[in-house]
Amino acid sequence: MSGRGGPDRPSSSVPFPSGEAGDGTARGADGLDGARRGPAAAARTALADPLAGRGGADPVKALMRRHRELCEKAVDPLEIAAGLEAHGVTDRTAARFRHRDVFSLAEEMYARVTRPESPAPATRPDAPAPARLGWTVRTLLPGLLCAAAVTGLRLTHGRPCLMATAAGILAVALGVRAALRRGPLGAPATPPGTTTWTCWLVGYALLGDGLLSAAVRGGPDGLPDGTPGTPWTLTPAPVLALAFAFVPAAWCAHLFAVHARRRLTASHGLRDFTASVRPLLFGTLALFLCSLVLLLAASGAVLGTPADYAQGIALGSLLLLARLLTVHGAPHTPTAVLTATGAVQLVALSTVFAGRLPGCAFLAVPVRSVVDAWGPGGVPALTCGAAALVLLAHADRTLTRASSHARTPAGR
């Protein structure tokens, strides 16, 4: 195993010590004490391992050389354990180094590494109260700005409505940027295209249902101007709920990071950690969805419009899972899924208009069937729901790994 492309497991050319393990125990790979194996077993070991009779090689030291940079930069044994796991080391591999699991092996590697200054193992405490207050206030900005934009949208009509909508979109975008810059939802960088397609999905939640409904009826004849009774209507309730959902999303991400870190500290094996984090992941998602349902109900009641629960829940789940994966160092799959979801919605709209061409009516049949069965909200509900399930399966494999939590702070 090597951080520079070497093999993940110690090769057979690196012999194991015949008398003692790296952690000070005297157990062999078969669990028997070396002292109880007798002269015959010792002779067989010496024949199989020519270096054992000359004091034995140190496989842990060889492993440390291969991962020297990881060992020197780690601030605690947990980071070494996570790094080893990321390179394919399992508890079975650790047994070849005379350790019960990867965590025990990492503790020895951390204790034996030579540093200019030997700092004590650092524990990452939860975010202090001022920091939590700071990112909590920032996560309120998208909701407050969106509420102001919706108010301006409902008080204006015609051209002033379009101007108010444009100003509101810009203000909400700035609020979202501030909310995602730091805190539990903050990530160092996101791949190109993530922001574009996320904006498309949210914009579709606001404009897409009305546009699709009008397109199926042969329209639209103009732009949405907020006038009641126009063919192209706006659906601000899901967007308003999603904007305020930044607050529960940030707290759910914070709690997930904190409790996953604690389980990483308390675990004694990779399987043990995975088994303890999996229910935490599903519980975090369930807590967020409960909060989102309440926000959707409140938004629909305040605005006097139906709350599209299916579309809102599907889109909210998709965005939360994508952000969790991005924050924990796995941004590429969420970007691909968001891109595919936005592209499918764009194609669905395009097929309705393409179906008006001579001889191309068959192109609009699938989308028209969905609209007839579930309404215009069925298209985003199906696309976002399927994408959320894909990301949930990916998160179940990725966010339950120790390497996903090695350097993730609980709050920033």
Side-chain angles (χ1 to χ4, degrees), residues 34-411:
R36 296 186 306 188
R37 290 191 294 177
R44 287 194 299 269
T45 302
L47 290 174
D49 185 358
L51 295 181
R54 299 197 298 268
D58 188 346
V60 177
K61 187 174 182 180
L63 186 65
M64 292 175 62
R65 284 198 300 268
R66 294 171 182 172
H67 295 278
R68 179 174 56 85
E69 184 177 358
L70 171 65
C71 296
E72 291 178 350
K73 290 185 177 181
V75 299
D76 56 29
L78 300 179
E79 286 191 6
I80 298 180
L84 294 177
E85 185 216 30
H87 285 88
V89 178
T90 64
D91 291 342
R92 169 182 274 184
T93 311
R96 299 177 59 188
F97 292 90
R98 313 288 175 83
H99 283 272
R100 66 180 184 275
D101 51 45
V102 175
F103 289 84
S104 174
L105 176 61
E107 287 174 356
E108 180 183 350
M109 294 173 67
Y110 181 82
R112 293 174 58 177
V113 70
T114 302
R115 299 180 180 85
E117 301 177 359
S118 299
T123 58
R124 292 184 178 87
D126 298 352
R132 290 197 297 267
L133 178 61
W135 55 253
T136 300
V137 172
R138 285 193 295 272
T139 54
L140 278 171
L141 288 177
L144 296 176
L145 293 173
C146 187
V150 171
T151 301
L153 183 65
R154 295 173 71 88
L155 295 178
T156 58
H157 302 287
R159 187 177 297 275
C161 177
L162 296 177
M163 297 176 61
T165 301
I169 291 174
L170 178 60
V172 173
L174 294 175
V176 170
R177 182 179 179 183
L180 296 181
R181 178 171 295 179
R182 298 181 65 84
L185 298 178
T190 55
T194 302
T195 303
T196 302
W197 287 108
T198 300
C199 291
W200 164 265
L201 294 174
V202 176
Y204 189 98
L206 176 65
L207 302 167
D209 288 355
L211 175 59
L212 181 59
S213 180
V216 169
R217 295 193 300 266
D221 298 325
L223 295 175
D225 57 3
T227 304
T230 55
W232 187 352
T233 58
L234 303 178
T235 53
V239 178
L240 182 61
L242 289 171
F244 276 107
F246 268 88
V247 178
W251 275 100
C252 287
H254 170 71
L255 294 175
F256 177 69
V258 169
H259 289 283
R261 185 72 188 182
R262 290 175 181 173
R263 282 165 170 75
L264 183 61
T265 305
S267 296
H268 297 289
L270 299 178
R271 292 182 180 179
D272 182 27
F273 175 74
T274 298
S276 64
V277 171
R278 181 169 286 120
L280 177 62
L281 172 63
F282 286 94
T284 299
L285 180 60
L287 178 61
F288 171 75
L289 292 182
C290 290
S291 304
L292 182 57
V293 168
L294 294 177
L295 289 171
L296 286 168
S299 298
V302 170
L303 298 178
T305 59
D308 195 337
Y309 291 101
Q311 178 181 356
I313 291 173
L315 180 55
S317 303
L318 173 62
L319 296 179
L320 176 68
L321 290 169
R323 198 62 193 176
L324 282 178
L325 286 165
T326 301
V327 169
H328 289 269
H332 299 291
T333 299
T335 299
V337 171
L338 291 174
T339 301
T341 306
V344 169
Q345 292 184 356
L346 180 59
V347 170
L349 276 174
S350 301
T351 57
V352 177
F353 292 100
R356 300 177 183 178
L357 298 175
C360 297
F362 67 93
L363 295 175
V365 171
V367 176
R368 287 180 179 272
S369 301
V370 173
V371 173
D372 292 339
W374 295 298
V379 172
L382 289 175
T383 55
C384 293
L389 290 177
V390 171
L391 281 190
L392 181 60
H394 181 64
D396 183 52
R397 295 192 304 269
T398 303
L399 298 183
T400 57
R401 293 169 58 90
S403 53
S404 298
H405 305 275
R407 291 183 177 273
T408 303

